[in-house]
Amino acid sequence: MDGDPAVEPELDTFSLILPLPYRVAVILVLGVWAWGLNLHYLAILKIDAPGLIKYPSRPSSTIPPHHRRTYRLATTVTIPLVVSILLFWLITHGSPSLVVKWDILPQSYLFLLVLLFIIPYQRLSRTGRYWFLSTLRRVSIGRIAEAQDGKFGDILLADVLTSYAKVLGDLFISACMFVSVGSSSTDKPDRSCGGQYLVPIIISIPSMIRLRQCLIEYSRARKNSQKSASTGWGGQHLANALKYSSAFPVIILSALQRGYDPNKIGMSEAGLFRLWLFFVFLNSFYSFYWDVVKDWDLTLFSPSAERNNPEHPWGLRRHTHFHTKEMYYGAILLDLMLRCTWSFKLSPHLDHFNDWEGGIFVMEFLEVFRRFIWIFFRVETEWVRTNRGPPPDEILLADYNGRSDDN
């Protein structure tokens, strides 16, 4: 009966308040609000983010701006989420058995969320949702558009997916537990649902997508270099592919630690952990370096002469759009700290941390927040490249010809 510890499901306090399906839903909805804020603030800075990503243009000036339509969509998906959570609390009263029994409520909201993104209703940012779904369909199989057809939007969305890797894993776990006989999606998360290695594979998919995109870009650069020697051979794309590849050892070694069997692995548990830790730091600092140097075009790791150039603040660049240099320094520090925590969170074997489900949720939220901040500076960098020209080493990308026509 309720309250009897001998029969009550083992749920921590946080899971009683916000079960796994609701945590997934909250992170997804927060992502919609974050995108609206991205569009809004970039518009205030006179940066045409919709033009850079080939977002559908407004047919007339009477149509609300892109960020307002995004806010409208965010509000539409938030209201039923709040109602669903309040109803769930009202029904379950924090009882573990009732929480497990009523998993239909959060799962129904996730189904509604999908419907709200696909129904052809004009007032819910129909053109924006169509852009998102068509771009998602293209990038989900690792494809990438040409520069003049919206390549930057494909890259931006695929990078966002890497930040949602663990959320996608939790979404699968939630669905798997919901359809499994004798299981409930609001029970304690079974992170082995579907098999020991299926969840790690799902977590790896966003990095696989970006890896394939980088290899496609490299192939294009190679073809262009055969036509013109001035375009470069595309080495930067291979370096970028290596960055995304560095996430795979973290995920694979983590899965091996979770189901550690010395007879099958042939390595001590301590040795396996040290190897995993090495790849964690490699992935974290490689990704941080790439964010600062390649994605944001900052000079923090450039030679001293360039880093100390009096034409721009120390470690930054000449052309900037944000109001103070402290915003750039703050973003760099935040990116460094959260890059490290995110690499650890990609590891599903950390069960001693997973026991506190609130910790997983906080880290997923922080990664979405990091990506939210990253988008501001990545779009600003692309705007500078488009209007001021790429920095010298970016010429290797061999796809800036005609970028002035993007807006």
Side-chain angles (χ1 to χ4, degrees), residues 223 309 354 398:
K223 292 179 181 178
N309 192 325
N354 291 347

Side-chain angles (χ1 to χ4, degrees), residues 4 61 69-70 123 139 188 213 235 279 283 286 319 374:
D4 184 351
S61 58
R69 285 184 287 167
T70 305
R123 290 183 62 83
V139 304
K188 183 177 180 180
Q213 287 181 334
F279 281 106
N283 174 259
Y286 194 174
H319 301 293
W374 178 91

